[in-house]
């Protein structure tokens, strides 16, 4: 950062700006590098460029974005960025001067400063005076979670589309402010590989990506090949990687008329490491990233007119395609949670997707919604292709092998009812542009008998947490009630004035006041006597305690899934979370915690004493919540359950029996497709949720879209009251899953709750907080935290 600022101070070819900050407070930079005359009129040049993007005629420089090391432990990219910046700022050759006259280079030296810092600290701390190339040496084997991810262990190269993290939001802001012709994304891969550049696997390009984009990617590839040939670098370009998921840096540009290019350099994962090709040194990796940076600039300069035609005609071609689409757009309903809807509209806004208020009411999924609860996203807009990418629900694909997830339908992720409508209906729905959702500030009466928090509002748990920390007490209604003309469903949270700690009333009143962006409905009531249902002092009003949460982390545990829950509770809901190493279960005082959370990973090898300690803690009143493989481990661990319940084998292939005839023979060339059919890499399914169950509080519909990956799921309980959510008979909503896996998943269990002694088990087959944008199911974790212990045992 300091070098880039010094370079900008020393050169009239360079301008640097801070676009945002990471969770750890590090600056995110954007360098603009061009000829001095271009830099002097940079904003004017940008405005003229954006006018051409939006259809105005004219010519101007080619805009090329170079982004480095979105994965922090792929450090050769960020180190190469300094060489690239210096080369452009100091180069005196005619080639450099011509390039800068014709090009504006937008250079982001580190997409992920927090991860890069974590990785650099590791390898530099374990470097000897004599470089060690042994792959087993500690330098080349980072401690969990490694430097790949950001502070909360998110893969930032999956967040271009969800747009939930500060690094991504800063990046998307400048991307849409500039709309580059080309965006190059510099990564590293396994040490035994060589060098990769796109186009990647041809059959795995998203069908929404225009053919011109693929042609330009191939044209640019010849410049990379020439540069690498000249320097004797081995490479490949049409294997291994795809261009399907629009949440990656090399693919997101493709749905906006830009050309995204992925580069992958074999990694030394330190200073030098042995590989199948000999010793691979960090300087060699940096050099190759530098060469690919220059080949990108050279190719973009040479193909400038074709790139300009591709970008400047993109919106016009999108609108032309929209005019042939039988659909007019999509209608989305607010089911009674304006905070969640606001977050949904915020994601659309950051992607420049137009949203309108609906003029007429609509019925969606059997429910009639009034116009004030409906939003309309037209297909007839510049972002036609992006709207399709966000809203469509594909289940059939040209190629069933995916480098990442196969579905990401945005309204399903947010749990919002929606449907497509015809072009005729679309013309009747438009009214005015929606920028934000109108706030509904709560009216807090300081002299009230009690206050009721509407748990249907997404950020209700944030208000509840503040109240508990401020000295208030809370009760959750396990049955519905009506009071002073208002109806309250089960799950409504009551804050009685009489139970506020002495001297803390003002603190509690301040905590009850929602922030404008929270959009939480808090109602003041003057009496505890209801007109219908339970009274406010009823035994059916269960006490809600302030949670004390531990999240199990460490080796062989998914850092991604652990980070999702840590981020959800800590960053989004201000719930303190202790990060507890798996090995610490044997030595810490578990009574410090009310909840212990476990995510996907390998928990085999936990010793018997630790298991007994954990079992005793649950039976004493603790809540153990487990997700995916952790849930399977819990069900298979007799010492925890006190019963011989074994892991479900659904989805596992049975070995052929002897004497069954001629053995099956498969074609080796078909192995990728066969393997794809054996797994669920990431798809969206429908589950039916019991919304009367405390884990279902706040949900208004039993139909619950869930994100699932993997082919292991929870064994159903023989006690039907424990099967809180069950997959539908025909569960696949979007994405790829083989018929075999769909059949196995149908009618199996998504969520299971069980009482053990005075404690509880909560088990998830799915990933409720997936990548921070599954707002539709992430509240399941909040329900687990606040209500997991109040579920009564039912013995049918």
């Amino acid at each position: 950062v300091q070098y880039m600022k010094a370079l900008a101070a020393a050169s009239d070819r360079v301008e640097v700006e801070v676009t945002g900050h990471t969770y750890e407070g590090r600056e995110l930079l954007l360098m603009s590098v061009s000829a001095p005359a271009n830099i002097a009129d940079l904003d004017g040049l940008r405005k003229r460029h954006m006018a051409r993007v939006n259809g105005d005629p004219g010519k101007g420089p080619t805009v090329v974005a170079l982004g480095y090391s979105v994965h922090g432990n792929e450090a050769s990219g960020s180190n190469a960025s300094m060489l690239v910046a210096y080369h452009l700022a100091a180069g005196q050759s005619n080639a450099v001067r011509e390039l800068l006259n014709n090009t504006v280079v937008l250079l982001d030296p580190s997409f992920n400063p927090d991860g890069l810092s974590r990785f650099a600290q590791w390898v530099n701390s374990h470097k000897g005076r004599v470089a060690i190339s042994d792959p087993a040496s500690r330098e080349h084997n980072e401690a969990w979670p490694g430097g790949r991810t950001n502070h909360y262990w998110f893969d930032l190269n999956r967040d271009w589309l969800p747009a939930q993290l500060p690094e991504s939001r800063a990046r998307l802001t400048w991307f849409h402010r500039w709309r580059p012709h080309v965006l190059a994304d510099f990564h590293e891969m396994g040490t035994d590989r060589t060098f990769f550049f796109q186009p990647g696997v041809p059959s795995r390009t998203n069908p929404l990506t225009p053919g011109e984009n693929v042609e330009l990617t191939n044209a640019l590839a010849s410049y990379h090949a020439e540069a690498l040939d000249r320097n004797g670098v081995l490479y490949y370009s049409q294997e291994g990687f795809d261009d399907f998921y629009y949440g990656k840096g090399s693919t997101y540009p493709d749905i906006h008329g830009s050309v995204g290019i992925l580069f992958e350099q074999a990694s030394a994962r330190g200073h030098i490491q042995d590989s199948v090709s000999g010793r691979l040194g960090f300087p060699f990796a940096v050099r190759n990233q530098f060469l690919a940076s220059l080949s990108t600039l050279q190719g973009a300069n040479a193909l400038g007119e074709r790139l300009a035609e591709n970008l400047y005609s993109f919106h016009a071609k999108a609108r032309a395609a929209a005019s042939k689409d039988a659909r007019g757009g999509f209608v989305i309903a607010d089911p009674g949670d304006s905070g969640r809807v606001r977050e949904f509209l915020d994601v659309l806004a950051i992607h420049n997707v137009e949203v309108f208020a609906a003029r007429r009411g609509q019925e969606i999924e059997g429910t009639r919604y009034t116009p004030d609860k409906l939003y309309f996203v037209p297909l007839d807009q510049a972002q036609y292709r992006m709207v399709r990418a966000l809203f469509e629900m594909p289940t059939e694909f040209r190629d069933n092998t995916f480098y990442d997830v196969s579905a990401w339908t945005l309204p399903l992720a947010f749990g919002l009812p929606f449907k497509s409508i015809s072009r005729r209906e679309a013309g009747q729905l438009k009214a005015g542009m929606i920028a934000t959702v109108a706030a509904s500030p709560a009216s807090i009466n300081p002299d009230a008998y009690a206050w009721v928090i509407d748990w249907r509002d997404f950020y209700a748990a944030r208000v509840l947490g503040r109240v508990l920390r401020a000295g208030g007490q809370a009760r959750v209604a396990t049955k519905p009630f009506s009071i002073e003309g208002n109806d309250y469903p089960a799950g409504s949270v009551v804050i009685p004035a009489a139970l506020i700690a002495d001297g803390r009333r003002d603190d509690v009143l301040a905590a009850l006041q929602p922030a404008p962006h929270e959009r939480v409905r808090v109602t003041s009531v003057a009496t505890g006597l209801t007109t219908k249902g339970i009274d406010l002092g009823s035994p059916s009003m269960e006490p809600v305690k302030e949670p004390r949460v531990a999240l199990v982390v460490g080796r062989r545990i998914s850092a991604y899934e652990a980070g999702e829950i840590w981020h959800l509770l800590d960053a989004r809901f201000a719930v303190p979370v202790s990060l507890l190493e798996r090995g610490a279960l044997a030595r810490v005082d578990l009574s410090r915690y009310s909840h212990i959370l476990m995510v996907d990973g390998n928990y085999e090898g936990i010793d018997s004493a630790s298991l007994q300690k954990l079992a005793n803690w649950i039976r004493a009143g603790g809540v153990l919540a487990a997700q995916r493989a952790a849930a399977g481990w819990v069900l298979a661990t007799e010492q925890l359950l006190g019963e011989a319940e074994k892991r479900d084998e659904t989805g596992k292939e049975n070995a052929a029996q002897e004497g069954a005839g001629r053995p099956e023979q498969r074609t080796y060339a078909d192995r990728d497709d066969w393997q794809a059919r054996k797994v669920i890499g990431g798809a969206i399914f429908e589950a039916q949720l019991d919304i009367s169950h405390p884990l279902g509080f706040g949900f208004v519909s039993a139909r619950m879209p869930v994100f699932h990956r993997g082919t292991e799921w929870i064994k159903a309980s023989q006690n039907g009251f424990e099967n809180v959510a069950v997959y539908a008979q025909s569960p696949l909503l979007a994405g790829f899953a083989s018929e075999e896996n769909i059949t196995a998943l149908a009618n199996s269990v998504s969520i299971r709750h069980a009482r053990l002694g005075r404690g509880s088990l909560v088990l998830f087959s799915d990933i409720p907080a997936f990548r921070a944008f599954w707002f539709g199911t992430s509240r399941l974790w909040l329900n687990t935290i606040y209500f997991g212990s109040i579920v009564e045992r039912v013995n049918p």
Side-chain angles (χ1 to χ4, degrees), residues 274-297:
D274 293 334
S275 77
V276 295
S277 301
R279 287 191 170 185
L280 172 61
F282 187 58
F284 175 80
V286 172
R287 183 200 69 164
N288 289 346
Q289 303 280 33
F290 175 76
L291 292 174
S293 300
L294 297 191
S295 67
T296 300
L297 296 174

Side-chain angles (χ1 to χ4, degrees), residues 357-588:
R359 180 178 296 170
R360 297 185 178 185
Q362 290 277 310
E363 182 177 300
I364 304 177
E365 297 172 2
T367 300
R368 185 76 183 177
Y369 295 92
T370 57
D372 62 310
K373 293 292 185 182
L374 288 170
Y375 303 93
F376 171 56
V377 177
L379 280 168
D380 184 13
Q381 61 170 291
Q383 288 289 66
Y384 165 73
R385 294 180 186 274
M386 188 64 178
V387 172
R388 289 186 58 189
L390 292 171
F391 281 82
E392 290 184 338
M393 301 165 58
T395 57
E396 295 182 0
F397 305 89
R398 180 172 57 161
D399 190 319
N400 295 328
T401 302
F402 301 93
Y403 186 76
D404 200 73
V405 297
S406 61
W408 52 86
T409 310
L410 198 66
L412 293 181
F414 279 76
L416 299 177
F418 79 110
K419 69 175 184 179
S420 64
I421 59 173
S422 68
R423 296 179 61 81
R424 181 184 61 81
E425 290 177 289
Q428 299 170 348
L429 282 177
K430 281 190 181 180
M433 189 69 180
I434 294 294
T436 59
V437 182
S440 301
S443 177
I444 304 297
N445 179 359
D447 299 320
Y449 175 86
W451 300 271
V452 184
I453 301 172
D454 194 328
W455 200 254
R456 290 170 296 186
D457 296 329
F458 183 77
Y459 286 111
R462 192 147 66 183
V463 176
L464 172 59
R466 287 201 301 263
V467 169
L468 295 175
R469 290 191 296 274
Q473 291 193 32
R475 301 286 187 269
V476 59
T478 60
K479 299 176 181 178
F481 63 94
S482 300
I483 189 170
E484 297 180 346
N486 294 316
D487 297 326
Y488 297 95
S492 300
V493 176
V494 176
I495 312 297
L499 299 183
I500 297 175
D502 291 342
R504 302 298 301 275
R505 190 180 185 88
D506 288 345
D507 295 336
V508 171
L509 289 173
L512 277 167
Q513 183 66 54
H517 67 278
E518 291 174 342
R519 286 156 168 85
V520 177
R521 291 162 289 186
V522 180
T523 308
S524 306
V525 296
T527 178
L529 183 64
T530 64
T531 55
K532 184 179 179 181
I534 59 175
D535 294 321
L536 299 195
S538 165
S540 296
M541 288 280 183
E542 291 281 354
V544 179
K545 303 297 184 183
E546 185 176 1
R548 305 182 311 280
V549 180
L551 174 63
V552 180
V553 299
R555 284 185 64 246
R556 304 168 78 185
I557 291 173
S558 170
Y560 292 157
E561 292 186 21
E564 288 162 0
I565 296 173
W566 183 26
H567 173 269
L568 175 75
L569 299 180
D570 181 64
R572 197 158 268 169
F573 286 94
V575 175
V577 179
S578 296
L579 304 178
L580 197 64
E581 287 284 337
R582 186 179 71 162
L585 292 172
R587 60 179 183 271
V588 301

